[in-house]
Amino acid sequence: MGAGRFAPSPSGPLHLGNLRTAILAWLFARSTQREFLLRIEDLDRVRSGAETTQIAELASLGIDFDGDMLRQSDRLPIYLEAVERLKARGLVYECYCSRKDIAEAGSAPHAAPGAYPGTCRNLSASERSAKAQNRPAALRLRSEVNEFSVHDELFGDYTGAVDDFVLVRNDGAPAYNLAVVVDDAFSSIDQVVRGDDLLSSAPRQAYLATLLGHPIPSYAHVQLALNAKGQRLAKRDGAVTLEEITEQGVHPANVVAVLLESLGLPSTSLQAALEAFDPANLPREPWIVEPENIVQQLMPRASGN
Ligand code: GLU
């Protein structure tokens, strides 16, 4: 039996967009008889207390998980061991470039815009030791492809750039793309459901999985929640976190109902939504959130109304 997962970064309380993605990931997993796992992606952007809050919030919505929760910060040696395996095959090199160096170098010919131009790919040992005087090295993948294709259940076939992306940052922390691939394989996750802002990362991750000898999971990148200006929903948009909404007297079950409604699903319960769930019928456009309207809609009706 395979598994799906929800993998929040504990950077703050969950907002309506994160919760909607969590519900979708749960629906995809449960409707395909998969286990559903929770992973805390706390390699950076951590806010103290956020993990505990997020776990309580997911439980309050009725999203249940199987198995043990994984916390990435507990697993640092495992990521570095994967890098050692790649290194032994000559697939890793030290990179001394700053962001500024990369921006100034511009893109290599035939490379995708923004792709690492390969400045440090072929340094000699003496060039490396000279550069190492000024800056600790990040570790990059010596990619043998420029692009890679994946299949997404909602987007169809998707081909995206694969450059020599960072595996280990120059502060020694494993990079997101590495940790995701190692963890998904470790947990036998064969279904990745997440926001479509990560669609362009899927080719890199799928390619890395292949190099590490792991199967490529199935992907479903779901539409994000956006504000009225079409930007990704964020705290600046008003009362968009579950915390802010429930503080105004709204019950979490009503939040679930609004989220399910936004997905065109029966809104009486997660269970009812699960019975009706069919990915083919999901909305194909982002969900536009106007926090004032949502909170208004969710507020317990004052008497006489
Ligand atoms: N931690 C990432 C996020 O919160 C999700 C990573 C993933 O699902 O692969 O955006």
Side-chain angles (χ1 to χ4, degrees):
M1 183 174 50
R5 60 9 173 236
F6 184 58
S9 305
S11 53
L14 295 169
H15 64 58
L16 292 169
N18 312 129
L19 295 169
R20 188 170 183 261
T21 301
I23 287 179
L24 278 165
W26 182 89
L27 288 166
F28 268 92
R30 295 294 183 218
S31 65
T32 51
Q33 286 71 50
R34 285 179 164 88
E35 295 204 316
F36 190 54
L37 308 178
L38 177 63
R39 179 169 78 228
I40 303 295
E41 301 211 322
D42 62 345
L43 295 180
D44 60 3
R45 295 189 295 141
V46 175
R47 219 174 69 209
S48 131
E51 175 185 314
T52 311
T53 308
Q54 291 185 343
I55 293 170
E57 288 176 335
L58 292 164
S60 79
L61 296 194
I63 298 176
D64 61 328
F65 293 96
D66 303 300
D68 291 334
M69 179 187 102
L70 233 59
R71 187 184 294 110
Q72 289 189 326
S73 61
D74 295 337
R75 296 172 44 77
L76 299 180
I78 297 168
Y79 308 125
L80 300 179
E81 189 270 329
V83 174
E84 288 307 316
R85 286 201 281 136
L86 295 169
K87 215 185 247 180
R89 289 158 56 197
L91 291 173
V92 177
Y93 66 86
E94 283 97 351
C95 169
Y96 303 92
C97 292
S98 63
R99 267 175 219 275
K100 186 159 163 270
D101 295 333
I102 296 172
E104 285 173 1
S107 313
H110 315 300
Y116 178 64
T119 318
C120 294
R121 188 172 163 118
N122 296 311
L123 295 180
S124 65
S126 63
E127 285 169 324
R128 268 204 304 277
S129 47
K131 283 186 183 262
Q133 305 290 314
N134 305 323
R135 234 182 120 76
L139 298 180
R140 287 187 183 270
L141 179 69
R142 187 183 295 281
S143 168
E144 288 165 337
V145 301
N146 290 321
E147 55 180 37
F148 199 77
S149 300
V150 296
H151 182 76
D152 185 279
E153 198 167 336
L154 302 172
F155 279 81
D157 292 331
Y158 175 82
T159 300
V162 178
D163 63 347
D164 287 354
F165 57 89
V166 171
L167 299 171
V168 181
R169 303 191 320 223
N170 85 342
D171 61 2
Y176 158 70
N177 282 316
L178 170 69
V180 166
V181 170
V182 169
D183 287 344
D184 283 346
F186 172 84
S187 302
S188 303
I189 282 162
D190 62 351
Q191 179 188 58
V192 169
V193 178
R194 59 188 176 190
D196 65 7
D197 53 333
L198 290 169
L199 177 62
S200 64
S201 298
R204 288 188 186 85
Q205 295 171 6
Y207 175 62
L208 181 57
T210 310
L211 291 180
L212 288 169
H214 301 319
I216 298 174
S218 73
Y219 293 103
H221 288 87
V222 300
Q223 295 279 351
L224 290 178
L226 304 180
N227 68 16
K229 290 192 201 133
Q231 301 155 330
R232 204 158 99 155
L233 195 67
K235 216 161 157 28
R236 59 165 187 270
D237 294 314
V240 293
T241 66
L242 187 62
E243 206 163 55
E244 291 162 321
I245 295 172
T246 51
E247 266 166 19
Q248 300 184 49
V250 175
H251 194 276
N254 294 336
V255 178
V256 172
V258 165
L259 294 173
L260 292 175
E261 219 164 90
S262 80
L263 294 166
L265 289 165
S267 60
T268 43
S269 69
L270 278 178
Q271 205 52 47
L274 179 58
E275 277 155 36
F277 182 66
D278 179 354
N281 297 335
L282 283 175
R284 295 305 173 107
E285 57 292 319
W287 181 45
I288 307 297
V289 178
E290 293 178 55
E292 311 74 45
N293 299 351
I294 294 236
V295 172
Q296 205 61 44
Q297 192 185 334
L298 286 169
M299 281 308 277
R301 299 268 178 268
S303 56
N305 249 346

